[in-house]
Amino acid sequence: MNNTNLTDRQLSILKFICEVIDDASRPPTIREIGYEFSISSTKGVADHLDALERKGWIEREPGQARGIKPVREKTEKLFGASTGLPVVGSVVAGGPTLARENLEGLLNLDDLFPNNDDLFALRVRGDSMTGAGIYRGDIVVVRQQWQADVGDVVVAIVDDEKGTVKKLSKVGEEIHLKPANPNYDTIVKEPSRVEIRGKVVGVIRKM
Amino acid sequence: MNNTNLTDRQLSILKFICEVIDDASRPPTIREIGYEFSISSTKGVADHLDALERKGWIEREPGQARGIKPVREKTEKLFGASTGLPVVGSVVAGGPTLARENLEGLLNLDDLFPNNDDLFALRVRGDSMTGAGIYRGDIVVVRQQWQADVGDVVVAIVDDEKGTVKKLSKVGEEIHLKPANPNYDTIVKEPSRVEIRGKVVGVIRKM
DNA sequence: TTGACTACTAAACATATGTTTAGTAAAATA
DNA sequence: TATTTTACTAAACATATGTTTAGTAGTCAA
Protein backbone atom coordinates (compact mmCIF):
# COMPACT_ATOMS: atom_id res chain seq x y z
CA MET A 1 0.00 0.00 0.00
CA ASN A 2 1.04 3.58 0.21
CA ASN A 3 1.36 3.99 3.94
CA THR A 4 -0.82 7.10 4.10
CA ASN A 5 -4.50 7.51 4.79
CA LEU A 6 -4.95 8.30 1.11
CA THR A 7 -6.17 6.06 -1.67
CA ASP A 8 -3.79 5.42 -4.55
CA ARG A 9 -5.82 7.71 -6.78
CA GLN A 10 -5.79 10.53 -4.25
CA LEU A 11 -2.06 10.10 -3.75
CA SER A 12 -1.41 10.33 -7.48
CA ILE A 13 -3.43 13.50 -7.72
CA LEU A 14 -1.70 15.06 -4.71
CA LYS A 15 1.66 14.24 -6.25
CA PHE A 16 0.63 15.79 -9.55
CA ILE A 17 -0.44 18.97 -7.79
CA CYS A 18 2.91 19.23 -6.01
CA GLU A 19 4.82 18.61 -9.22
CA VAL A 20 2.92 21.29 -11.10
CA ILE A 21 3.65 23.79 -8.35
CA ASP A 22 7.36 22.94 -8.35
CA ASP A 23 7.40 23.21 -12.07
CA ALA A 24 5.21 26.17 -12.92
CA SER A 25 5.17 28.00 -9.56
CA ARG A 26 1.42 27.77 -9.45
CA PRO A 27 -1.11 25.06 -8.77
CA PRO A 28 -3.12 23.39 -11.54
CA THR A 29 -6.78 24.12 -12.12
CA ILE A 30 -9.42 21.48 -11.55
CA ARG A 31 -9.73 21.00 -15.29
CA GLU A 32 -5.98 20.64 -15.70
CA ILE A 33 -6.02 17.86 -13.13
CA GLY A 34 -8.98 16.30 -14.89
CA TYR A 35 -7.16 16.36 -18.21
CA GLU A 36 -4.08 14.74 -16.69
CA PHE A 37 -6.09 11.89 -15.19
CA SER A 38 -8.73 11.62 -17.90
CA ILE A 39 -11.54 12.66 -15.58
CA SER A 40 -14.07 14.36 -17.79
CA SER A 41 -16.18 15.96 -15.09
CA THR A 42 -14.88 18.73 -12.89
CA LYS A 43 -16.94 17.22 -10.12
CA GLY A 44 -14.88 14.04 -10.30
CA VAL A 45 -11.76 16.05 -9.57
CA ALA A 46 -13.50 18.22 -6.98
CA ASP A 47 -14.44 15.07 -5.08
CA HIS A 48 -10.78 14.10 -4.88
CA LEU A 49 -9.85 17.59 -3.70
CA ASP A 50 -12.59 17.39 -1.08
CA ALA A 51 -11.09 14.15 0.15
CA LEU A 52 -7.56 15.54 0.17
CA GLU A 53 -8.73 18.57 2.12
CA ARG A 54 -10.77 16.55 4.58
CA LYS A 55 -7.77 14.32 5.24
CA GLY A 56 -5.55 17.31 5.82
CA TRP A 57 -3.24 17.14 2.81
CA ILE A 58 -4.29 20.32 1.08
CA GLU A 59 -5.90 23.62 1.92
CA ARG A 60 -8.16 25.52 -0.42
CA GLU A 61 -9.24 29.07 -1.11
CA PRO A 62 -12.92 28.77 -2.03
CA GLY A 63 -13.82 30.49 -5.23
CA GLN A 64 -10.26 31.38 -6.09
CA ALA A 65 -8.61 30.25 -9.30
CA ARG A 66 -5.96 27.62 -8.63
CA GLY A 67 -6.85 27.79 -4.96
CA ILE A 68 -5.13 24.57 -3.97
CA LYS A 69 -2.31 24.66 -1.44
CA PRO A 70 -0.64 21.42 -0.37
CA VAL A 71 0.32 21.22 3.30
CA ARG A 72 4.07 21.32 2.84
CA GLU A 73 5.12 19.66 6.06
CA LYS A 74 3.21 16.57 5.05
CA THR A 75 3.79 16.46 1.32
CA GLU A 76 7.51 17.07 1.61
CA LYS A 77 7.89 14.00 3.76
CA LEU A 78 6.03 12.02 1.16
CA PHE A 79 7.55 13.19 -2.10
CA GLY A 80 10.71 14.88 -0.93
CA ALA A 81 11.20 18.59 -0.80
CA SER A 82 12.07 20.39 -3.95
CA THR A 83 15.12 21.35 -1.98
CA GLY A 84 16.62 19.34 0.81
CA LEU A 85 18.29 16.04 1.54
CA PRO A 86 16.63 13.22 3.43
CA VAL A 87 18.22 12.80 6.83
CA VAL A 88 18.44 9.26 8.11
CA GLY A 89 18.75 8.60 11.80
CA SER A 90 21.20 5.82 11.41
CA VAL A 91 22.20 3.43 8.71
CA VAL A 92 21.31 -0.09 9.71
CA ALA A 93 21.97 -3.46 8.24
CA GLY A 94 19.51 -5.46 6.22
CA GLY A 95 17.22 -2.68 5.07
CA PRO A 96 17.62 -2.21 1.36
CA THR A 97 17.71 1.50 0.62
CA LEU A 98 16.33 4.78 1.73
CA ALA A 99 12.70 4.55 2.59
CA ARG A 100 11.08 7.95 2.38
CA GLU A 101 8.81 6.97 5.22
CA ASN A 102 11.21 6.44 8.11
CA LEU A 103 13.24 9.60 7.80
CA GLU A 104 14.22 11.98 10.53
CA GLY A 105 13.51 14.93 8.35
CA LEU A 106 14.72 16.92 5.43
CA LEU A 107 17.89 18.90 5.45
CA ASN A 108 17.95 22.29 3.89
CA LEU A 109 20.02 25.34 4.51
CA ASP A 110 17.10 27.45 5.61
CA ASP A 111 16.38 25.19 8.53
CA LEU A 112 20.00 24.70 9.45
CA PHE A 113 21.02 28.31 9.11
CA PRO A 114 17.88 30.42 9.46
CA ASN A 115 18.65 33.46 7.43
CA ASN A 116 17.72 36.77 8.94
CA ASP A 117 19.55 38.56 6.17
CA ASP A 118 22.70 38.62 8.27
CA LEU A 119 24.29 35.44 6.98
CA PHE A 120 26.59 35.04 4.04
CA ALA A 121 28.86 32.36 2.65
CA LEU A 122 32.53 32.60 1.79
CA ARG A 123 34.90 30.15 0.15
CA VAL A 124 38.04 29.55 2.21
CA ARG A 125 41.25 30.24 0.30
CA GLY A 126 44.15 29.08 2.42
CA ASP A 127 44.68 26.06 4.62
CA SER A 128 45.50 27.91 7.81
CA MET A 129 42.51 26.47 9.67
CA THR A 130 42.82 22.78 8.87
CA GLY A 131 43.35 21.99 12.53
CA ALA A 132 39.87 23.30 13.25
CA GLY A 133 38.27 21.24 10.52
CA ILE A 134 38.17 24.05 7.96
CA TYR A 135 39.98 23.16 4.77
CA ARG A 136 40.99 24.98 1.62
CA GLY A 137 37.96 25.25 -0.64
CA ASP A 138 35.44 24.78 2.15
CA ILE A 139 32.56 27.20 2.28
CA VAL A 140 32.11 28.90 5.62
CA VAL A 141 28.76 30.27 6.68
CA VAL A 142 29.27 33.59 8.40
CA ARG A 143 27.00 35.71 10.54
CA GLN A 144 27.72 39.32 9.89
CA GLN A 145 28.82 41.07 13.08
CA TRP A 146 31.37 43.66 14.08
CA GLN A 147 32.38 42.27 17.43
CA ALA A 148 33.17 38.75 18.49
CA ASP A 149 34.15 36.85 21.60
CA VAL A 150 37.51 35.32 22.32
CA GLY A 151 37.48 31.81 20.96
CA ASP A 152 35.15 32.55 18.07
CA VAL A 153 36.28 31.74 14.58
CA VAL A 154 35.94 35.04 12.78
CA VAL A 155 36.23 36.64 9.39
CA ALA A 156 38.45 39.66 9.83
CA ILE A 157 40.21 42.20 7.70
CA VAL A 158 43.74 43.09 8.71
CA ASP A 159 45.38 46.28 7.44
CA ASP A 160 42.78 46.79 4.71
CA GLU A 161 43.74 43.56 3.02
CA LYS A 162 41.35 40.83 2.02
CA GLY A 163 39.39 38.97 4.64
CA THR A 164 40.87 36.06 6.50
CA VAL A 165 39.36 33.31 8.64
CA LYS A 166 41.04 32.87 12.04
CA LYS A 167 40.37 32.16 15.67
CA LEU A 168 40.02 35.31 17.77
CA SER A 169 42.00 35.78 20.94
CA LYS A 170 43.24 38.74 22.95
CA VAL A 171 46.38 39.36 24.93
CA GLY A 172 46.17 42.60 26.83
CA GLU A 173 45.22 45.23 24.26
CA GLU A 174 46.47 43.23 21.32
CA ILE A 175 44.28 41.22 19.03
CA HIS A 176 45.60 37.78 18.16
CA LEU A 177 44.26 36.01 15.10
CA LYS A 178 45.32 32.43 15.51
CA PRO A 179 45.51 29.92 12.70
CA ALA A 180 44.78 26.28 13.43
CA ASN A 181 47.78 25.02 11.54
CA PRO A 182 51.29 24.99 13.01
CA ASN A 183 52.77 26.05 9.67
CA TYR A 184 51.17 29.49 9.99
CA ASP A 185 51.97 32.26 12.43
CA THR A 186 49.55 34.06 14.68
CA ILE A 187 48.68 37.53 13.44
CA VAL A 188 49.18 40.08 16.19
CA LYS A 189 47.74 43.58 15.69
CA GLU A 190 46.40 46.60 17.52
CA PRO A 191 42.58 46.68 17.57
CA SER A 192 42.50 49.67 15.21
CA ARG A 193 44.08 47.65 12.46
CA VAL A 194 41.69 44.70 12.67
CA GLU A 195 38.18 44.93 11.34
CA ILE A 196 35.92 42.07 12.34
CA ARG A 197 33.33 41.28 9.75
CA GLY A 198 31.59 38.21 11.05
CA LYS A 199 31.61 35.02 13.01
CA VAL A 200 31.84 31.63 11.38
CA VAL A 201 28.74 29.65 12.30
CA GLY A 202 29.01 26.79 9.87
CA VAL A 203 31.16 24.93 7.41
CA ILE A 204 30.13 23.22 4.20
CA ARG A 205 32.51 21.01 2.28
CA LYS A 206 32.07 19.28 -1.02
CA MET A 207 34.40 16.32 -1.47
CA MET B 1 18.01 54.44 -8.16
CA ASN B 2 17.30 50.76 -8.22
CA ASN B 3 20.07 49.53 -10.45
CA THR B 4 17.79 47.62 -12.82
CA ASN B 5 16.13 48.62 -16.04
CA LEU B 6 12.84 48.79 -14.15
CA THR B 7 11.03 51.81 -12.80
CA ASP B 8 10.48 51.96 -9.06
CA ARG B 9 6.81 51.17 -9.55
CA GLN B 10 7.56 48.15 -11.73
CA LEU B 11 10.13 46.93 -9.23
CA SER B 12 7.64 47.17 -6.37
CA ILE B 13 5.10 45.19 -8.32
CA LEU B 14 7.64 42.54 -9.31
CA LYS B 15 8.67 42.20 -5.70
CA PHE B 16 5.06 41.85 -4.60
CA ILE B 17 4.49 39.09 -7.15
CA CYS B 18 7.53 37.18 -5.90
CA GLU B 19 6.45 37.57 -2.29
CA VAL B 20 2.97 36.30 -2.97
CA ILE B 21 4.39 33.25 -4.73
CA ASP B 22 6.74 32.52 -1.83
CA ASP B 23 3.92 32.94 0.56
CA ALA B 24 0.92 31.35 -1.07
CA SER B 25 2.64 29.08 -3.63
CA ARG B 26 0.77 30.79 -6.41
CA PRO B 27 0.97 34.11 -8.20
CA PRO B 28 -1.49 36.94 -7.56
CA THR B 29 -4.22 37.86 -10.02
CA ILE B 30 -4.18 41.16 -11.82
CA ARG B 31 -6.92 42.44 -9.51
CA GLU B 32 -5.03 41.33 -6.41
CA ILE B 33 -2.05 43.34 -7.59
CA GLY B 34 -4.32 46.27 -8.30
CA TYR B 35 -5.80 46.12 -4.84
CA GLU B 36 -2.35 46.03 -3.24
CA PHE B 37 -1.20 49.10 -5.13
CA SER B 38 -4.55 50.92 -5.26
CA ILE B 39 -4.78 50.68 -9.02
CA SER B 40 -8.48 50.57 -9.78
CA SER B 41 -8.29 49.50 -13.39
CA THR B 42 -7.05 46.09 -14.42
CA LYS B 43 -5.54 47.76 -17.43
CA GLY B 44 -3.28 49.79 -15.19
CA VAL B 45 -1.83 46.61 -13.75
CA ALA B 46 -1.75 44.87 -17.12
CA ASP B 47 0.41 47.72 -18.44
CA HIS B 48 2.95 47.08 -15.70
CA LEU B 49 2.92 43.38 -16.46
CA ASP B 50 3.45 44.15 -20.13
CA ALA B 51 6.48 46.23 -19.19
CA LEU B 52 7.85 43.53 -16.88
CA GLU B 53 7.42 40.96 -19.60
CA ARG B 54 8.93 43.13 -22.29
CA LYS B 55 11.96 43.78 -20.09
CA GLY B 56 12.39 40.10 -19.43
CA TRP B 57 11.51 39.87 -15.75
CA ILE B 58 8.39 37.76 -16.02
CA GLU B 59 6.82 35.30 -18.39
CA ARG B 60 3.09 34.95 -18.90
CA GLU B 61 0.57 32.33 -19.94
CA PRO B 62 -1.99 34.25 -21.98
CA GLY B 63 -5.54 33.66 -20.89
CA GLN B 64 -4.58 31.62 -17.88
CA ALA B 65 -5.60 32.58 -14.38
CA ARG B 66 -2.60 33.76 -12.36
CA GLY B 67 -0.46 33.26 -15.43
CA ILE B 68 2.51 35.25 -14.18
CA LYS B 69 5.88 33.57 -13.79
CA PRO B 70 8.86 35.58 -12.62
CA VAL B 71 12.18 34.70 -14.25
CA ARG B 72 13.84 33.18 -11.21
CA GLU B 73 17.45 33.62 -12.22
CA LYS B 74 16.91 37.35 -12.34
CA THR B 75 14.52 37.91 -9.46
CA GLU B 76 16.52 35.78 -7.05
CA LYS B 77 19.55 37.98 -7.55
CA LEU B 78 17.41 41.00 -6.83
CA PHE B 79 15.36 39.91 -3.84
CA GLY B 80 17.28 36.90 -2.65
CA ALA B 81 16.16 33.36 -3.06
CA SER B 82 13.59 32.00 -0.70
CA THR B 83 16.25 29.46 0.06
CA GLY B 84 19.95 30.06 -0.18
CA LEU B 85 22.78 32.06 1.28
CA PRO B 86 24.47 34.86 -0.59
CA VAL B 87 28.00 33.90 -1.54
CA VAL B 88 30.53 36.69 -1.50
CA GLY B 89 33.69 36.42 -3.54
CA SER B 90 35.87 37.93 -0.90
CA VAL B 91 35.41 40.18 2.06
CA VAL B 92 37.15 43.45 1.45
CA ALA B 93 37.79 46.47 3.57
CA GLY B 94 35.81 49.66 3.40
CA GLY B 95 32.58 48.35 1.91
CA PRO B 96 29.88 48.51 4.53
CA THR B 97 27.82 45.36 4.30
CA LEU B 98 26.51 42.83 1.90
CA ALA B 99 25.29 44.36 -1.27
CA ARG B 100 22.88 42.05 -3.01
CA GLU B 101 24.15 43.25 -6.33
CA ASN B 102 27.80 42.19 -6.27
CA LEU B 103 27.35 38.63 -5.20
CA GLU B 104 28.90 35.57 -6.70
CA GLY B 105 25.69 33.67 -6.41
CA LEU B 106 23.35 32.00 -4.03
CA LEU B 107 24.25 28.89 -2.13
CA ASN B 108 21.72 26.17 -1.75
CA LEU B 109 22.02 22.47 -1.27
CA ASP B 110 20.39 21.61 -4.54
CA ASP B 111 23.09 23.34 -6.50
CA LEU B 112 25.89 22.06 -4.32
CA PHE B 113 24.67 18.50 -4.07
CA PRO B 114 22.39 17.88 -7.04
CA ASN B 115 20.03 15.27 -5.76
CA ASN B 116 19.26 12.42 -8.07
CA ASP B 117 17.47 10.63 -5.29
CA ASP B 118 20.65 8.82 -4.35
CA LEU B 119 21.87 11.25 -1.70
CA PHE B 120 21.11 11.22 1.98
CA ALA B 121 22.40 12.96 5.07
CA LEU B 122 23.64 11.38 8.28
CA ARG B 123 24.72 12.89 11.57
CA VAL B 124 28.16 11.70 12.66
CA ARG B 125 28.16 10.15 16.12
CA GLY B 126 31.76 9.55 17.11
CA ASP B 127 34.94 11.53 16.66
CA SER B 128 36.93 8.91 14.85
CA MET B 129 37.30 11.06 11.72
CA THR B 130 38.41 14.35 13.21
CA GLY B 131 41.72 14.08 11.39
CA ALA B 132 39.84 14.23 8.10
CA GLY B 133 37.86 17.28 9.13
CA ILE B 134 34.74 15.35 10.13
CA TYR B 135 33.73 16.04 13.72
CA ARG B 136 31.19 14.61 16.12
CA GLY B 137 27.81 16.11 15.31
CA ASP B 138 28.71 17.02 11.74
CA ILE B 139 26.27 16.05 9.06
CA VAL B 140 27.77 14.06 6.23
CA VAL B 141 26.20 14.03 2.80
CA VAL B 142 26.35 10.52 1.40
CA ARG B 143 25.85 9.16 -2.07
CA GLN B 144 24.23 5.79 -1.84
CA GLN B 145 26.41 3.13 -3.44
CA TRP B 146 27.43 -0.43 -2.72
CA GLN B 147 31.02 -0.30 -3.89
CA ALA B 148 33.69 2.28 -3.29
CA ASP B 149 37.28 2.91 -4.20
CA VAL B 150 40.24 2.71 -1.89
CA GLY B 151 40.70 6.11 -0.32
CA ASP B 152 37.05 7.03 -0.32
CA VAL B 153 35.41 7.99 2.94
CA VAL B 154 32.52 5.57 3.18
CA VAL B 155 29.51 4.73 5.28
CA ALA B 156 29.75 1.02 6.03
CA ILE B 157 28.06 -1.53 8.20
CA VAL B 158 30.30 -4.00 9.96
CA ASP B 159 28.93 -7.25 11.38
CA ASP B 160 25.32 -6.06 11.14
CA GLU B 161 25.95 -3.26 13.58
CA LYS B 162 25.07 0.35 12.97
CA GLY B 163 26.72 2.30 10.21
CA THR B 164 30.11 3.88 10.67
CA VAL B 165 32.03 6.51 8.73
CA LYS B 166 35.59 5.52 7.85
CA LYS B 167 38.19 5.68 5.15
CA LEU B 168 38.25 2.62 2.91
CA SER B 169 41.44 0.71 2.24
CA LYS B 170 42.35 -2.83 1.25
CA VAL B 171 45.21 -5.09 2.15
CA GLY B 172 45.13 -8.28 0.15
CA GLU B 173 41.64 -9.69 0.58
CA GLU B 174 40.99 -7.82 3.79
CA ILE B 175 38.97 -4.65 4.05
CA HIS B 176 40.47 -1.98 6.26
CA LEU B 177 38.25 0.77 7.60
CA LYS B 178 40.61 3.43 8.83
CA PRO B 179 39.70 6.13 11.30
CA ALA B 180 41.36 9.52 11.02
CA ASN B 181 42.10 9.76 14.70
CA PRO B 182 45.07 8.02 16.33
CA ASN B 183 42.96 7.13 19.38
CA TYR B 184 40.93 4.69 17.30
CA ASP B 185 41.98 1.42 15.74
CA THR B 186 41.58 0.39 12.16
CA ILE B 187 38.77 -2.09 11.64
CA VAL B 188 39.99 -5.12 9.73
CA LYS B 189 37.40 -7.51 8.31
CA GLU B 190 36.75 -10.02 5.55
CA PRO B 191 34.74 -8.51 2.67
CA SER B 192 31.69 -10.62 3.54
CA ARG B 193 31.32 -8.92 6.89
CA VAL B 194 31.46 -5.38 5.58
CA GLU B 195 28.51 -3.84 3.80
CA ILE B 196 29.26 -0.56 2.06
CA ARG B 197 26.30 1.74 2.01
CA GLY B 198 27.60 4.92 0.48
CA LYS B 199 30.40 7.35 -0.14
CA VAL B 200 30.73 10.60 1.76
CA VAL B 201 30.58 13.46 -0.73
CA GLY B 202 30.13 16.37 1.62
CA VAL B 203 30.25 17.62 5.17
CA ILE B 204 28.03 20.20 6.82
CA ARG B 205 28.82 21.56 10.27
CA LYS B 206 26.87 23.93 12.41
CA MET B 207 29.03 25.65 15.01
C1' DT C 1 -28.15 -4.94 4.36
C1' DT C 2 -27.69 -0.53 5.19
C1' DG C 3 -24.94 3.38 5.07
C1' DA C 4 -20.66 5.63 4.20
C1' DC C 5 -16.91 6.26 1.13
C1' DT C 6 -14.73 6.15 -3.44
C1' DA C 7 -14.86 7.47 -8.10
C1' DC C 8 -16.85 8.93 -11.44
C1' DT C 9 -20.47 11.42 -15.87
C1' DA C 10 -23.17 15.23 -17.61
C1' DA C 11 -24.85 19.66 -17.60
C1' DA C 12 -25.84 24.08 -15.97
C1' DC C 13 -24.37 27.90 -13.31
C1' DA C 14 -21.75 31.70 -11.01
C1' DT C 15 -17.89 34.26 -10.76
C1' DA C 16 -13.02 35.01 -10.84
C1' DT C 17 -9.93 36.61 -13.96
C1' DG C 18 -7.57 37.91 -18.30
C1' DT C 19 -8.36 41.03 -22.46
C1' DT C 20 -9.76 44.84 -25.16
C1' DT C 21 -11.28 49.52 -26.31
C1' DA C 22 -11.16 54.44 -25.52
C1' DG C 23 -9.23 57.81 -23.18
C1' DT C 24 -6.16 61.27 -19.92
C1' DA C 25 -1.94 63.32 -18.10
C1' DA C 26 2.78 63.68 -16.80
C1' DA C 27 7.57 62.47 -17.51
C1' DA C 28 11.27 60.92 -20.29
C1' DT C 29 13.58 60.80 -24.69
C1' DA C 30 14.88 61.92 -29.42
C1' DT D 1 9.19 70.14 -30.21
C1' DA D 2 7.37 65.75 -31.38
C1' DT D 3 7.22 61.11 -29.90
C1' DT D 4 7.50 57.53 -26.86
C1' DT D 5 7.04 55.65 -22.35
C1' DT D 6 4.98 55.52 -17.89
C1' DA D 7 0.96 55.24 -15.26
C1' DC D 8 -3.13 55.28 -14.82
C1' DT D 9 -9.40 55.44 -15.14
C1' DA D 10 -13.68 53.41 -16.75
C1' DA D 11 -16.36 50.15 -18.86
C1' DA D 12 -17.45 46.27 -21.52
C1' DC D 13 -16.20 41.78 -22.92
C1' DA D 14 -14.61 36.88 -23.19
C1' DT D 15 -13.32 32.98 -21.00
C1' DA D 16 -11.05 30.36 -17.48
C1' DT D 17 -12.28 28.29 -13.51
C1' DG D 18 -14.71 27.02 -9.19
C1' DT D 19 -19.46 25.35 -7.65
C1' DT D 20 -23.73 23.02 -7.62
C1' DT D 21 -27.30 19.64 -8.89
C1' DA D 22 -28.66 15.04 -10.25
C1' DG D 23 -27.24 10.60 -10.93
C1' DT D 24 -24.59 5.83 -11.45
C1' DA D 25 -21.77 2.01 -9.78
C1' DG D 26 -18.51 -0.38 -6.93
C1' DT D 27 -16.24 -1.24 -2.47
C1' DC D 28 -16.01 -1.60 2.42
C1' DA D 29 -17.20 -1.51 7.35
C1' DA D 30 -21.08 -1.82 10.97
Side-chain angles (χ1 to χ4, degrees), chain A residues 135-206:
Chain A
Y135 289 70
R136 182 199 304 277
D138 285 4
I139 293 165
V140 288
V141 179
V142 184
R143 185 189 308 121
Q144 213 174 176
Q145 53 188 54
W146 293 266
Q147 294 95 37
D149 297 322
V150 168
D152 287 349
V153 177
V154 299
V155 174
I157 293 167
V158 180
D159 289 338
D160 286 357
E161 293 289 325
K162 280 194 177 172
T164 180
V165 177
K166 294 284 182 304
K167 194 164 200 169
L168 180 67
S169 131
K170 280 174 191 168
V171 176
E173 280 299 287
E174 282 177 344
I175 298 231
H176 287 215
L177 295 174
K178 291 187 168 177
N181 182 335
N183 300 325
Y184 288 76
D185 293 326
T186 297
I187 299 172
V188 178
K189 293 284 174 183
E190 315 159 24
S192 64
R193 298 174 72 185
V194 176
E195 202 182 319
I196 288 173
R197 281 313 182 78
K199 173 184 172 178
V200 173
V201 295
V203 180
I204 298 171
R205 178 180 315 139
K206 187 168 182 176

Side-chain angles (χ1 to χ4, degrees), chain A residues 11-86:
Chain A
L11 187 64
S12 302
I13 288 170
L14 178 59
K15 188 172 187 182
F16 174 70
I17 293 167
C18 292
E19 282 169 357
V20 170
I21 293 174
D22 280 351
D23 208 83
S25 358
R26 64 176 195 189
T29 64
I30 287 178
R31 282 174 181 80
E32 281 166 8
I33 298 170
Y35 181 81
E36 176 72 17
F37 291 92
S38 304
I39 300 170
S40 69
S41 171
T42 53
K43 182 57 163 51
V45 177
D47 281 351
H48 286 302
L49 297 182
D50 287 343
L52 287 170
E53 187 175 25
R54 179 166 41 79
K55 294 178 177 178
W57 290 88
I58 61 170
E59 288 167 0
R60 285 158 96 192
E61 296 279 341
Q64 302 282 103
R66 302 175 188 275
I68 308 170
K69 188 175 179 183
V71 176
R72 289 219 170 263
E73 308 83 66
K74 301 184 76 175
T75 55
E76 285 186 350
K77 282 198 178 139
L78 211 54
F79 310 125
S82 54
T83 173
L85 293 176

Side-chain angles (χ1 to χ4, degrees), chain A residues 76-116:
Chain A
E76 285 186 350
K77 282 198 178 139
L78 211 54
F79 310 125
S82 54
T83 173
L85 293 176
V87 180
V88 298
S90 57
V91 177
V92 289
T97 58
L98 296 173
R100 283 273 183 206
E101 290 78 28
N102 38 14
L103 293 175
E104 288 213 335
L106 281 153
L107 175 72
N108 63 60
L109 287 187
D110 269 349
D111 291 348
L112 205 60
F113 302 110
N115 193 351
N116 301 321

Side-chain angles (χ1 to χ4, degrees), chain B residues 6 9-10 12-18 27-34 37 39 42-61 64 66-70:
Chain B
L6 298 175
R9 192 69 164 165
Q10 289 163 4
S12 301
I13 288 171
L14 178 59
K15 189 173 185 180
F16 174 69
I17 293 166
C18 292
T29 64
I30 286 177
R31 281 173 182 81
E32 282 165 8
I33 298 169
F37 291 93
I39 300 169
T42 53
K43 182 55 161 53
V45 177
D47 281 351
H48 287 302
L49 297 182
D50 288 342
L52 286 170
E53 187 175 25
R54 179 166 43 78
K55 293 177 177 178
W57 290 87
I58 61 170
E59 288 166 1
R60 285 158 97 194
E61 297 278 341
Q64 302 284 103
R66 304 174 187 274
I68 307 170
K69 187 175 180 183

Side-chain angles (χ1 to χ4, degrees), chain B residues 64 75 93 116 123 125 151 166 171 176 191:
Chain B
Q64 302 284 103
T75 54
N116 301 321
R123 191 172 291 276
R125 289 171 202 279
K166 295 285 182 302
V171 175
H176 287 216

